[in-house]
Amino acid sequence: MTTLRNLPSVESLLQTRIAAELIAAYGRPLTLDAFRAELDEIRARFKSDPELDLPTMDDILALAEFRLSAWTAPSLVPVINATGVILHTNLGRAPLSDATIRAMDAISRGYSTLEYDLVKGARGSRLIHAESILQKLTGAEAAVVVNNNASAVMLVLAALANRRRVVISRTQLVEIGGGFRVPDVMKQSGAKLVEIGATNRVNLDDYETALAEPIALVMRAHRSNFKIIGFTEEPEPGDVVAIAHRAGVPVVDDLGSGALLDTARFDIAHEPTVQESLAAGMDLVCFSGDKLLGGPQAGIILGRADLIAKIKKHPLARAVRADKTCLAGLTATLMHYLKDEAEREIPIWRMMSLTLKQVRGRAEAWRLELGRGSVVEAESTVGGGSLPGESFHTCVLALDVKSPDKFLKRLRMQHPPIIARTEDDRVLIDPRTVLPEQEGALLVGLKNALR
Ligand SMILES: *Cc1c(COP(=O)(O)O)cnc(C)c1O
């Protein structure tokens, strides 16, 4: 009769050649944990079912190895984005340019001048690195980079409007996603909201009336992910600025996406640019680093030097500061704009600038390689809180499969996982967002999943 006494001990498992290999790969403490967990589980199972055959030594070692690989497998892994959504928030927004990755790599490998002035041989400031290039690019007097745009908005309000009143139109009290609601962030910062206008309409009189009272700031928030259509009204940004300035009140523009290039060049609608916002007289503009800028996660605040100086001094600035890899990467990404090579070097602009013919060519090549599917025209979106309601004309490889949902799941189980979408019961593979270097892996994954 089998009894638990026949179960190998941790000590005997450790004597094996496989154990030595596991220790080399995973370290001794974790390997021991895995052996103990495996043996505990077998004992528990045996107690509830004494008829059970005890696993052999080899079985236990194999199960322990499986456990170790599961314990150490990262959950954050690269995927192939075949959805056609260029700034897919769930898939990490903007992929970075080669120069950006090199800069982040170089700075993270060793020591750097993060807060060190080489000329003086003394302490410097981390805030200067991206600032001078942002000034050059936009003409803004000053700039500060923080962790992301949500913290940029929070910091601006905390530094300039704590316990004071901030005017914002009800047409702009938006939720960006992931629970980021402009009104909630404004309240968190300690500012007092003065809501004006109606959900669909606001006019200059509304601003004028609100500005008759003492006001710290007028805030504007870009409706990043939806449109208001129909009976609507909203004054031009420049006119809002003029009224606010007459009352001596600065205006802050939360642009969200913060394009430096005009999206209208690529047959999609125009997304407000940073330059336009500054030209309209905005005192401060804030936007994300990883949306239409195409860089690493960051929040950028640009504008009047006196306001930026106050922001830099606020205690929250330290809490939301950008790290050295972010600053290195952001600077490298911004350099592409300065050198007028953004369209060629920054992946998201490359994707946007692909012509229908180029996208069709890739989809055709994949169809030939797979011997399956058809190439059809479709629409994809930019995503990531930009250009709501606007889509790209694109070409996709459409696959007819028995169960689209099951097929999507099979695609997600590939290495690397492939993320696609369905439309009219077909699975669509959009070449626009598949990086050229991922093409081989995509085809292997598709073939696997189709088998
Ligand atoms: C996306 C967005 C934010 C938040 O930016 P993150 O960089 O994601 O923190 C804030 N405001 C607007 C208008 C946005 O579109």
Side-chain angles (χ1 to χ4, degrees):
M1 195 188 103
T2 30
T3 81
L4 273 180
R5 244 172 295 153
N6 300 16
L7 197 65
S9 66
V10 171
E11 288 315 311
S12 62
L13 288 169
L14 279 174
Q15 301 305 315
T16 60
R17 181 183 50 82
I18 298 207
E21 285 170 15
L22 294 178
I23 287 171
Y26 298 103
R28 191 178 172 87
L30 200 61
T31 305
L32 275 172
D33 270 1
F35 288 169
R36 290 197 187 109
E38 218 50 73
L39 294 174
D40 285 350
E41 202 177 294
I42 294 163
R43 279 190 207 100
R45 251 186 291 145
F46 190 81
K47 281 204 182 109
S48 61
D49 179 8
E51 301 296 307
L52 209 73
D53 279 340
L54 284 181
T56 66
M57 188 98 137
D58 283 348
D59 290 342
I60 297 170
L61 287 166
L63 287 168
E65 178 163 17
F66 190 72
R67 193 179 284 263
L68 282 164
S69 88
W71 277 352
T72 53
S75 54
L76 179 58
V77 295
V79 302
I80 297 175
N81 175 9
T83 63
V85 180
I86 293 176
L87 291 168
H88 201 305
T89 295
N90 302 147
L91 304 184
R93 290 195 186 156
L96 302 176
S97 78
D98 290 339
T100 301
I101 293 162
R102 279 198 301 275
M104 294 173 91
D105 181 85
I107 292 307
S108 50
R109 270 170 201 284
Y111 301 102
S112 63
T113 53
L114 180 64
E115 292 183 354
Y116 191 78
D117 184 324
L118 286 175
V119 177
K120 293 194 190 129
R123 187 191 169 139
S125 163
R126 75 171 60 217
L127 296 176
I128 61 159
H129 302 295
E131 184 167 22
S132 57
I133 182 167
L134 282 165
Q135 288 165 322
K136 248 194 229 104
L137 264 173
T138 63
E141 288 175 9
V144 57
V145 177
V146 294
N147 181 59
N148 59 1
N149 191 31
S151 55
V153 173
M154 185 94 152
L155 175 59
V156 166
L157 292 169
L160 304 180
N162 187 28
R163 279 187 287 211
R164 294 170 64 206
R165 290 145 49 91
V166 176
V167 171
I168 186 159
S169 164
R170 292 194 175 89
T171 57
Q172 297 162 13
L173 290 175
V174 303
E175 174 173 330
I176 306 305
F180 180 94
R181 287 184 174 163
V182 169
D184 294 342
V185 173
M186 293 179 72
K187 279 178 209 146
Q188 271 301 316
S189 72
K192 294 189 189 120
L193 244 68
V194 179
E195 298 177 16
I196 59 168
T199 310
N200 55 333
R201 287 169 75 88
V202 64
N203 57 38
L204 287 175
D205 283 345
D206 296 321
Y207 281 97
E208 195 102 59
T209 309
L211 283 160
E213 305 279 320
I215 296 293
L217 285 179
V218 171
M219 171 104 191
R220 239 184 123 246
H222 181 44
R223 280 187 295 276
S224 305
N225 48 11
F226 73 107
K227 266 184 174 173
I228 304 185
I229 52 168
F231 186 54
T232 65
E233 181 185 1
E234 212 164 51
E236 288 299 318
D239 296 336
V240 174
V241 167
I243 286 192
H245 284 181
R246 234 179 289 144
V249 175
V251 187
V252 178
D253 198 4
D254 174 14
L255 272 181
S257 208
L260 288 175
L261 295 182
D262 186 358
T263 47
R265 302 218 290 234
F266 309 109
D267 273 352
I268 38 175
H270 176 75
E271 173 83 6
T273 67
V274 176
Q275 296 91 328
E276 284 162 2
S277 183
L278 289 169
M282 295 292 169
D283 300 274
L284 290 175
V285 179
C286 49
F287 53 98
S288 293
D290 53 351
K291 290 184 181 172
L292 281 173
L293 195 73
Q297 179 190 303
I300 297 155
I301 311 168
L302 291 175
R304 259 169 58 187
D306 60 326
L307 300 179
I308 296 279
K310 267 193 198 155
I311 288 167
K312 284 178 178 170
K313 277 201 224 99
H314 192 273
L316 198 57
R318 170 60 197 260
V320 298
R321 74 182 183 184
D323 88 307
K324 60 188 178 183
T325 46
C326 161
L327 291 168
L330 184 68
T331 310
T333 300
L334 291 168
M335 201 64 80
H336 293 311
Y337 290 93
L338 200 63
K339 288 157 66 181
D340 195 27
E341 59 182 26
E343 247 177 75
R344 192 176 73 228
E345 297 294 333
I346 298 179
I348 60 152
W349 289 106
R350 265 207 308 259
M351 291 172 186
M352 275 192 274
S353 62
L354 285 176
T355 63
L356 198 57
K357 193 168 160 229
Q358 287 169 315
V359 181
R360 187 196 304 275
R362 285 178 81 192
E364 277 293 350
W366 297 350
R367 188 184 63 80
L368 285 176
E369 173 78 22
L370 295 172
R372 283 284 294 268
S374 52
V375 174
V376 298
E377 291 191 11
E379 300 291 325
S380 58
T381 56
V382 175
S386 331
L387 295 158
E390 294 295 333
S391 53
F392 266 119
H393 212 47
T394 194
C395 255
V396 298
L397 177 65
L399 296 167
D400 276 304
V401 289
K402 224 182 281 147
S403 160
D405 283 338
K406 275 192 196 140
F407 189 72
L408 283 184
K409 184 164 184 202
R410 270 214 298 283
L411 289 176
R412 294 199 300 272
M413 296 301 121
Q414 301 300 316
H415 305 285
I418 299 165
I419 316 296
R421 66 190 161 110
T422 56
E423 209 175 275
D424 301 332
D425 269 346
R426 286 195 296 190
V427 173
L428 305 188
I429 309 291
D430 192 330
R432 194 181 287 279
T433 47
V434 175
L435 301 170
E437 61 269 27
Q438 292 178 322
E439 207 158 292
L442 174 82
L443 289 167
V444 169
L446 283 172
K447 281 179 195 166
N448 262 338
L450 283 166
R451 255 209 302 274

